[in-house]
Amino acid sequence: MISDIQKEILRLKKENDIGILAHVYQNPEILEVADFTGDSYALAVKAQDMPNKTVIMCGVRFMAETVKMLSPDKKVILSNKDAGCPMAEMMDKELISEVKKQYPDHTVVAYINTTSELKTICDVCVTSSSALKICKQIDNDKILFIPDCNLGSWIADQLPEKQIKLLNGGCPTHAKFNEDDVLKVKEEHPDALFLVHPECKPEVVKHADYVGSTTGIMNYAKESDAKEFIIGTENSIVSHLQLACPDKMFYAMSKDCVCHNMRATTLVDVLNCIKGTSGDVIEMDEATIVAAKKPIDEMIKLGG
């Protein structure tokens, strides 16, 4: 059944000139029918060079918005209309506008995991892989980092020369784990390297052998000579790495490290999107696109 649905998706997307982007947290059967897989911003960049006029994003809403911002002439469809991101939705334009009044001399740095509307009032965007480099490049020593206080804290620890103001926000999936969870799994697998995403709490990150983005974690595990790894990010990465490196062992930081928004998308959702009976077309006015793209352009300028 899965292969039959995949074959139909491949047939219809070719027939209808549709491209498919899939975030690496998606299930393998979805990744197998995608034109490109990767982290959110990398997918948006890839979309710009795709010849297709219609693009389906298998991920969450802010990712589809970023695709639309960078490819405004394309029709962008979010594969599951209910796939949101709690971190992206926890801070809005009104809230941060008020915070900016309290810190008028701070450069507002927005993690890419934010809504397009919020990006319109920010100075520069960052990804988890470029955040440290970008913040270091900013001339201003005063930074307001939103929304993820854990990623911001990791950056602040490495840039003591900067005054980084953090707000109480972040990824619920990564932030639910504490030091005891890490110590328990490390005791069970004492020879395993611990690879962790910086969206985790500082008490978790401090035990890491490697800290980086999802793609960074996967590349490190694939290239490392080590044979055992504890994966401190969404559990889909454990299964992806097991398939990619069957000669190595991969362990989840916790069985509960699951992003339910990412798992909301099914293979049938993708099929129905191509048929035109499902999904959510991303609509964005030109003024929002122009304003929201400015912090992304600044990120690129600074080396992101």
Side-chain angles (χ1 to χ4, degrees):
M1 282 294 295
I2 289 177
S3 62
D4 290 338
I5 296 172
Q6 288 177 319
K7 288 176 183 177
E8 183 66 358
I9 289 172
L10 294 173
R11 183 185 73 81
L12 288 174
K13 77 167 185 170
K14 183 178 181 180
E15 183 178 293
N16 298 315
D17 189 29
I18 295 175
I20 298 177
L21 303 171
H23 190 274
V24 287
Y25 287 172
Q26 296 295 308
N27 289 324
E29 62 267 24
I30 293 176
L31 298 182
E32 288 172 353
V33 298
D35 294 283
F36 295 105
T37 65
D39 286 335
S40 61
Y41 179 65
L43 292 175
V45 172
K46 285 286 188 182
Q48 295 178 100
D49 297 326
M50 294 175 72
N52 316 93
K53 295 298 183 182
T54 299
V55 176
I56 295 173
M57 165 55 81
C58 302
V60 296
R61 185 166 298 276
F62 84 83
M63 297 177 185
E65 289 182 347
T66 306
V67 173
K68 184 64 177 179
M69 287 158 49
L70 297 188
S71 302
D73 295 333
K74 295 184 186 293
K75 180 179 180 180
V76 179
I77 305 172
L78 177 63
S79 55
N80 185 303
K81 66 180 180 63
D82 297 320
C85 173
M87 173 162 56
E89 296 162 2
M90 65 179 48
M91 295 181 188
D92 58 23
K93 185 176 179 179
E94 290 70 28
L95 172 64
I96 300 305
S97 293
E98 290 302 314
V99 175
K100 286 178 65 176
K101 293 177 182 177
Q102 301 175 44
Y103 302 95
D105 55 348
H106 284 54
T107 296
V108 182
V109 177
Y111 192 18
I112 200 73
N113 300 38
T114 45
T115 65
S116 56
E117 184 182 45
L118 180 51
K119 288 182 176 74
T120 63
I121 60 167
C122 297
D123 298 306
V124 59
C125 280
V126 297
T127 64
S128 54
S129 59
S130 70
L132 180 59
K133 179 180 180 181
I134 298 299
C135 288
K136 190 173 184 178
Q137 293 288 337
I138 294 173
D139 288 337
N140 191 1
D141 288 339
K142 297 180 179 179
I143 292 173
L144 172 62
F145 190 95
I146 60 171
D148 191 349
C149 62
N150 290 325
L151 174 59
S153 176
W154 178 68
I155 295 167
D157 286 344
Q158 297 174 79
L159 297 178
E161 68 276 16
K162 300 278 187 178
Q163 299 177 43
I164 300 180
K165 173 64 180 177
L166 304 174
L167 302 183
N168 188 23
C171 171
T173 299
H174 286 98
K176 70 171 64 171
F177 308 105
N178 56 39
E179 188 173 24
D180 289 340
D181 297 315
V182 177
L183 294 177
K184 179 181 178 181
V185 71
K186 284 177 70 71
E187 183 178 1
E188 293 173 352
H189 307 287
D191 297 326
L193 297 182
F194 182 38
L195 316 183
V196 68
H197 198 286
E199 289 178 14
C200 291
K201 293 177 181 177
E203 65 188 69
V204 171
V205 173
K206 74 178 183 180
H207 291 285
D209 296 290
Y210 172 81
V211 182
S213 67
T214 304
T215 300
I217 288 172
M218 295 182 73
N219 289 339
Y220 185 95
K222 290 175 182 177
E223 296 168 6
S224 173
D225 292 332
K227 294 298 182 181
E228 295 184 67
F229 304 87
I230 300 165
I231 304 300
T233 189
E234 218 277 344
N235 283 352
S236 60
I237 302 305
V238 176
S239 59
H240 296 337
L241 284 170
Q242 286 173 335
L243 291 172
C245 308
D247 59 324
K248 298 180 179 181
M249 298 297 294
F250 298 94
Y251 314 108
M253 180 170 60
S254 167
K255 62 182 176 60
D256 296 319
C257 196
V258 177
C259 177
H260 296 290
N261 280 277
M262 280 291 190
R263 300 299 179 91
T265 300
T266 67
L267 190 65
V268 174
D269 285 336
V270 182
L271 175 62
N272 290 336
C273 275
I274 293 179
K275 289 181 175 180
T277 61
S278 184
D280 194 19
V281 177
I282 302 299
E283 303 287 355
M284 201 177 302
D285 61 78
E286 184 177 356
T288 298
I289 290 175
V290 171
K293 192 172 177 291
K294 284 183 178 179
I296 292 180
D297 290 338
E298 185 65 15
M299 175 179 73
I300 296 170
K301 176 183 174 183
L302 293 174

